[in-house]
């Protein structure tokens, strides 16, 4: 039980990687707040956790809106009385288009959901972490923030921004015993990737051919990294960007 009696807010936990993190954290003893726009998926995540004897709460939240984020942090505090862990995982892929063709409103939305949300959730949760003199923040970036990806200018910029923000917050809050790290996943089989391959086996095979380990990653493999960064196993790790990509970026 690596997270016994800890309270974790996980954004975007109605689906994919966020749900896998919620399940693993709960299995390791954490009480979970699922913050997501998707009520159906969020309720399913809560049910999965509760069926296995864990504690979870769904708080409908648009993480790009300050008022909703503030209310979400308040509801987690009212329910559990403390917040130890924040996983900033919610994200959208945005449109696929070259930079010159990218619509401004899509750019704004991707940056708001993927990057501004990390700022907002941290802004409202860090003061609660101060009360316990400790905390761990795990931000979900992407290899798209480290390497060159075509036709995803807003996504790539938002994910690179998360790496920079992770480092800034890590240095700011190290004196408060709050560690801040991020994960850069490669291609992970979730609804986000299924939307981009449109269920085509050929598209999936093409991705697999580019993977040194010869397969796409599983959400549970990112969750394992998120457990490491949230638990005392990583007690001397802060400001890091942990790549979980099956070797994609070293090709
Ligand atoms: P997903 O689409 O399965 O899950 C994303 C979740 O975020 C959904 O539950 C969705 O409802 C939620 N969400 C979207 N907009 C929101 C908003 N405004 N407010 C609150 N919640 C919102 O995708 P996933 O693959 O599980 O992605 C999770 C994270 O991992 C994302 O940040 C994504 O960029 C990142 N990532 C994914 C991959 C991959 O290959 N799947 C690779 C690298 C990084």
């Amino acid at each position: 039980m690596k997270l016994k009696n800890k309270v974790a807010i996980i954004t975007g936990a109605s689906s994919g990687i966020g749900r896998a993190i919620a399940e693993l954290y709960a299995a390791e003893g954490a009480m979970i707040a699922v913050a997501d726009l998707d009520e159906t998926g969020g309720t399913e995540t809560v049910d999965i956790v509760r069926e296995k004897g864990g504690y979870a709460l769904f708080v409908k939240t648009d993480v790009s809106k300050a008022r909703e984020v503030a209310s979400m942090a308040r509801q987690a505090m009212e329910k559990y009385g403390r917040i130890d862990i924040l996983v900033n995982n919610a994200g959208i892929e945005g449109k696929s288009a070259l930079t010159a063709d990218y619509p401004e409103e899509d750019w704004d939305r991707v940056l708001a959901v993927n990057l501004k949300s990390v700022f907002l959730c941290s802004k409202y949760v860090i003061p609660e972490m101060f009360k316990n003199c400790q905390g761990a923040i795990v931000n979900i970036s992407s290899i798209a923030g480290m390497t060159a990806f075509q036709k995803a200018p807003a996504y790539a910029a938002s994910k690179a921004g998360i790496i920079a923000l992770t480092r800034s917050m890590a240095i700011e809050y190290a004196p408060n015993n709050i560690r801040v790290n991020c994960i850069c996943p490669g291609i992970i089989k979730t609804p986000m990737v299924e939307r981009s391959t449109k269920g085509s086996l050929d598209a999936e095979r093409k991705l697999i051919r580019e993977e040194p380990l010869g397969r796409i990653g599983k959400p549970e493999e990112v969750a394992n990294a998120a457990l490491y960064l949230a638990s005392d196993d990583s007690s001397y790790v802060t400001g890091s960007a942990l790549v979980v990509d099956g070797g994609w970026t070293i090709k």
Side-chain angles (χ1 to χ4, degrees), residues 13 21 26 28 35 55 59 102 112-113 115 128-129 146 154 168 171 173 177 203 207 211 248:
I21 295 173
E28 291 291 336
Y55 295 91
V59 188
Y102 211 81
V113 174
L115 181 57
E128 304 302 343
M129 290 177 166
M146 306 174 63
S168 299
I171 204 86
Y173 296 105
N177 199 25
L207 286 175
E211 285 284 358
W248 181 291

Side-chain angles (χ1 to χ4, degrees), residues 12-18 35-38 61-64 89-92 109 113 140-143 155 159 185-188 190-193 195:
S14 296
S15 171
I17 292 169
D36 202 299
L37 266 180
D38 170 10
T61 316
D62 181 340
V63 290
S64 68
N89 163 79
I92 52 174
R109 184 69 190 147
V113 174
I140 307 299
S141 175
S142 167
I143 57 169
Y155 186 78
K159 294 299 182 179
I187 311 296
I188 310 295
T190 69
M192 182 180 280
V193 163
R195 281 192 295 274

Side-chain angles (χ1 to χ4, degrees), residues 143 183-188 217-218 221-223 225-226 242-247:
I143 57 169
I183 300 174
C184 300
I187 311 296
I188 310 295
K218 296 181 241 168
E221 292 174 310
V222 181
L242 176 56
V243 178
V244 181
D245 70 344

Side-chain angles (χ1 to χ4, degrees), residues 173-186:
Y173 296 105
N176 305 94
N177 199 25
I178 297 172
R179 295 182 300 104
V180 188
N181 292 286
C182 70
I183 300 174
C184 300

Side-chain angles (χ1 to χ4, degrees), residues 137-151:
I137 300 178
V138 181
N139 299 322
I140 307 299
S141 175
S142 167
I143 57 169
M146 306 174 63
T147 58
F149 271 72
Q150 287 191 63
K151 295 189 177 177

